Amino acid sequence: MPTKDVLTKADLAELRRSALGTANPLGVAAEIAEAVEQDRLEDPNDAGDALTLAAEIAEIRAKPDAALRYAERALEVYPSGDDPQAGFARALRARALFQAVGREDEAMAELGALRPFLLVQPDAPAYVSAALDAGGRSAIAERWLSEAVDTLLGERATAAGASAQAITAVEPPVEVGPPESPGVLFFLLQQRHRVRRNLNLPHDRHDDLADRLENQLVRRAAQQQGGAADLLFWPRAEFDRLLAAHPELTDVYGPDWDEHRARLEKELVRLASAGQTGLGVLSATVAGLDAHANRRNGDPTDAETRAAYAGELAARPGARIAWPPERNGPCWCGSGLKYKKDCLPRSRR
């Protein structure tokens, strides 16, 4: 994929979304790095982020040597290794070091230096825990995340005037922030929940809190943006059942299956352009939505009910369909066509 003579922020955002779907992702990474070295960035301050993107592409494509080279170059151009934007590059460096013979201690030292970021940086719980997972140290990730959650909850309880005994005995009330900025505690709880689930650890009170905050956030997003925010995906047969059972949801999910998929694809592209990662849709069923509504004495057509159903599905790994797929891979919608021939073009209509 040829890059432009000058790369803008918008170009980098598009490459972040589409690079893995191109025929040669590693070539894209190399050209991004070359653009940095040749001073072909519209904003020179984007150099660190551009090289970090190149490192991420190389790491995902199982080229740790290239990932390490790009990540270390990124750290050279960031103002400081303690710069918040440099955290992800340092985590990528650690992931690459885990794959290098005899450099596990360096990887752990790098991640240990990032550990304080868990308390202050919303992205840190994801990139630190993912790096530890990649290095086969998920148990350490669970411990670090748990200790960070306890620290933040303790600080909130102390600020509210609770006694030390009350802090350990009762979960202090927690409110999630707005959908566009939920706050560090939310991301800590969600990543801790993910890691514990992968480790097959029993559900505890912090996992319950993670579920409650997830549902709260999804409800708020639904109230702000309507049906697009819930990312519920109705497979073709389910979509037909949905409109037959609840025709009033036509305005929410579209008048036909093509429009339904186009709306989801456009929303996913919007979220990716805003910098969100780990995106996907939630495969829904009419029976599941109706059963959820009945358990809560709610209306399946109500935005809050649908948002809560989305939150329930989000806690089930099997319900989530990751996005985006490989450009030449099967489309996420299950049509059997390649992504580039089916839903990818829908975002551009």
Side-chain angles (χ1 to χ4, degrees):
M1 171 184 173
T3 55
K4 299 179 180 178
D5 289 339
V6 176
L7 288 182
T8 66
K9 289 182 185 293
D11 293 330
L12 291 173
E14 172 61 20
L15 287 169
R16 184 176 298 281
R17 186 190 73 81
S18 64
L20 291 175
T22 64
N24 184 14
L26 292 173
V28 173
E31 291 197 34
I32 293 171
E34 184 178 83
V36 173
E37 300 305 327
Q38 295 177 353
D39 295 324
R40 290 193 288 109
L41 297 183
E42 182 181 61
D43 184 351
N45 291 324
D46 290 336
D49 292 344
L51 288 162
T52 299
L53 173 58
E56 183 179 12
I57 294 169
E59 200 275 334
I60 291 172
R61 300 301 292 180
K63 295 295 182 182
D65 291 344
L68 182 60
R69 184 171 66 254
Y70 295 144
E72 291 184 336
R73 181 70 184 98
L75 293 174
E76 291 176 3
V77 300
Y78 278 119
S80 164
D82 293 328
D83 187 312
Q85 290 183 291
F88 185 40
R90 294 174 68 182
L92 286 170
R93 177 175 183 272
R95 292 175 69 135
L97 287 171
F98 274 132
Q99 298 180 64
V101 177
R103 303 191 70 178
E104 294 88 349
D105 289 347
E106 289 181 67
M108 283 303 301
E110 186 74 274
L111 294 176
L114 292 175
R115 189 175 178 184
F117 287 12
L118 294 174
L119 298 174
V120 296
Q121 199 177 110
D123 291 341
Y127 65 63
V128 172
S129 62
L132 288 166
D133 287 341
R137 289 158 173 80
S138 296
I140 294 176
E142 195 276 336
R143 176 165 58 84
W144 286 9
L145 293 169
S146 295
E147 291 176 1
V149 167
D150 288 340
T151 296
L152 290 186
L153 289 177
E155 289 175 354
R156 291 188 179 207
T158 300
S163 67
Q165 183 177 3
I167 291 172
T168 58
V170 180
E171 194 78 82
V174 177
E175 281 288 322
V176 71
E180 66 275 11
S181 181
V184 175
L185 181 59
F186 172 80
F187 292 109
L188 275 171
L189 285 163
Q190 291 301 307
Q191 290 301 318
R192 179 183 181 275
H193 194 23
R194 176 191 64 79
V195 171
R196 287 175 61 82
R197 189 164 55 235
N198 290 343
L199 290 171
N200 294 316
L201 295 175
H203 210 77
D204 65 7
R205 66 192 182 107
H206 288 348
D207 292 319
D208 290 336
L209 179 58
D211 286 339
R212 293 202 304 273
L213 292 183
E214 175 74 21
N215 289 338
Q216 186 184 130
L217 184 69
V218 171
R219 286 197 299 272
R220 289 188 181 180
Q223 290 166 0
Q224 287 187 9
Q225 301 180 31
D230 59 33
L231 294 179
L232 289 176
F233 166 58
W234 306 91
R236 184 188 290 273
E238 291 296 332
F239 184 83
D240 293 340
R241 293 188 189 101
L242 180 73
L243 296 194
H246 306 296
E248 52 268 68
L249 289 178
T250 298
D251 290 340
V252 177
Y253 295 112
D256 55 49
W257 200 53
D258 284 344
E259 175 63 19
H260 171 52
R261 291 180 292 163
R263 291 185 184 186
L264 282 172
E265 183 72 20
K266 289 175 182 177
E267 176 65 4
L268 289 163
V269 169
R270 184 189 71 78
L271 293 172
S273 297
Q276 292 196 32
T277 58
L279 293 170
V281 297
L282 300 166
S283 184
T285 66
V286 177
L289 174 62
D290 290 345
H292 179 87
N294 289 336
R295 288 196 301 273
R296 295 177 175 239
N297 295 317
D299 181 349
T301 65
D302 181 73
E304 186 169 331
T305 299
R306 290 182 282 106
Y309 175 51
E312 178 183 294
L313 289 177
R316 304 179 194 166
R320 185 176 179 280
I321 302 171
W323 180 94
E326 293 284 344
R327 183 182 178 87
N328 288 309
C331 189
W332 58 264
C333 73
S335 65
L337 299 175
K338 291 183 178 180
Y339 178 49
K340 68 179 182 181
K341 296 291 188 181
D342 199 351
C343 286
L344 176 60
R346 297 181 194 280
S347 66
R348 302 165 185 159
R349 295 173 186 168

